[in-house]
Amino acid sequence: MPLDTIPLPDSPNVLRAPALDLLQKHEASEAEGAERAHHIAVGCETSSTLGKHLSKLQRRRFGRRSEKLSPKQISFRKEA
């Protein structure tokens, strides 16, 4: 049924109750969304911190990611 054919009451007081109910539901939904966004932000921050700690531990255990040539090694290669 199209919305323009639904009969509505003429009294504003009768319409106020459903409007207030919808407003409360909307505000509750927004509050839940804000709480979820906060939890996600905290989770991302925690994940980032854990990743940094893991990288530090891996560098401490395994050393640098790649070998770096010292100037002495480069000169030996040119001589050969």
Side-chain angles (χ1 to χ4, degrees), residues 32-43:
E32 287 177 12
E35 186 176 345
R36 285 184 186 139
H38 173 71
H39 286 296
I40 289 170
V42 169

Side-chain angles (χ1 to χ4, degrees), residues 11-31:
S11 170
N13 292 332
V14 175
L15 293 173
R16 186 173 291 142
L20 289 175
D21 184 47
L22 285 174
L23 182 62
Q24 287 175 344
K25 287 179 182 179
H26 177 71
E27 288 173 349
S29 176
E30 281 187 345

Side-chain angles (χ1 to χ4, degrees), residues 23-79:
L23 182 62
Q24 287 175 344
K25 287 179 182 179
H26 177 71
E27 288 173 349
S29 176
E30 281 187 345
E32 287 177 12
E35 186 176 345
R36 285 184 186 139
H38 173 71
H39 286 296
I40 289 170
V42 169
C44 288
E45 186 177 325
T46 302
S47 175
S48 175
T49 303
L50 289 174
K52 290 175 185 176
H53 287 299
L54 180 61
S55 294
K56 279 184 180 180
L57 290 172
Q58 286 176 335
R59 276 194 302 275
R60 189 178 293 171
R61 182 174 179 192
F62 299 113
R64 290 183 169 182
R65 289 186 173 257
S66 64
E67 293 183 18
K68 305 292 182 190
L69 294 177
S70 69
K72 289 182 181 180
Q73 290 175 319
I74 293 173
S75 65
F76 286 140
R77 186 168 186 150
K78 287 181 183 176
E79 293 175 6

